[in-house]
Amino acid sequence: MLPNLAAEVAFWQKAFGLDDWTIEARHVEDLRYPCNDAGAGYPAKGERMAGLCTVDRNARSARIAVRRPRTMRQLREWPEAVCHEVMHVLGAAYRMAGWSIEKEHLVINIVAPMLVKAKRKDPALAARTAGLFAETCRRCVAAPSPPTVSPIIAEAERAAAMSVSPPACGAR
């Protein structure tokens, strides 16, 4: 049975507070990157993809295409692909000077798997966490003097700075 794409997109759209966006989503049989030479951080033309998001920031709308899962591995990875693409909508909503798709992917590729793992154990926790992440993005953009780093990157760097390394063996 095919996963419910509309329900998954709706979950993440609500969790990220993107209620004022129109997001259309559909399954496709084969998904390949359509553009020529899009630049650093983008796939090569014709490269297979799990998902693709196109955004119109002015209309506050997005179209998401997600490859229909055919194997158990693709089925396990499917929720992450959906979350990943909805996070691109979040990124578009709060893009700032210094933005690049490479930086956006750096963060999404770290955050999306964690959110999906949290959702499998506790959907309410995943929704709250996604909401806090989105609120951080909103606050960074609304700051009187916005940071020079995209908020989606700044939050990941802040979280990484808070991590604690374990002491070396034999340390007392």
Side-chain angles (χ1 to χ4, degrees):
M1 187 167 144
L2 199 58
N4 188 335
L5 181 58
E8 192 73 9
V9 168
F11 176 87
W12 293 115
Q13 181 176 4
K14 181 176 169 90
F16 287 121
L18 296 167
D19 301 322
D20 56 338
W21 280 72
T22 301
I23 302 176
E24 297 175 24
R26 65 188 175 95
H27 278 115
V28 294
E29 290 301 322
D30 188 30
L31 187 59
R32 295 174 188 266
Y33 195 67
C35 299
N36 281 320
D37 193 29
Y42 289 94
K45 180 177 174 133
E47 186 175 327
R48 277 206 163 105
M49 307 174 69
L52 180 66
C53 180
T54 55
V55 175
D56 181 342
R57 292 177 67 192
N58 294 328
R60 298 184 78 72
S61 67
R63 289 181 151 182
I64 293 174
V66 178
R67 187 176 61 216
R68 184 183 312 272
R70 291 190 182 135
T71 65
M72 286 306 293
R73 180 179 178 190
Q74 290 174 350
L75 188 60
R76 280 190 307 275
E77 294 170 351
W78 179 89
E80 189 178 317
V82 176
C83 180
H84 178 112
E85 298 309 323
V86 176
M87 287 189 78
H88 279 302
V89 179
L90 177 68
Y94 300 107
R95 229 165 247 163
M96 298 174 54
W99 172 90
S100 77
I101 193 67
E102 291 171 303
K103 291 177 182 176
E104 189 169 293
H105 271 133
L106 176 72
V107 174
I108 291 174
N109 289 338
I110 293 169
V111 175
M114 291 188 294
L115 289 174
V116 169
K117 186 174 183 179
K119 184 178 183 241
R120 286 183 175 129
K121 294 180 185 232
D122 185 350
L125 174 64
R128 285 192 309 274
T129 304
L132 289 170
F133 183 79
E135 181 60 26
T136 300
C137 293
R138 279 189 273 288
R139 286 182 181 190
C140 285
V141 170
S145 76
T148 57
V149 176
S150 171
I152 206 165
I153 302 300
E155 180 60 18
E157 289 174 349
R158 186 188 69 75
M162 290 174 43
S163 65
V164 177
S165 300
C169 275
R172 294 183 191 244

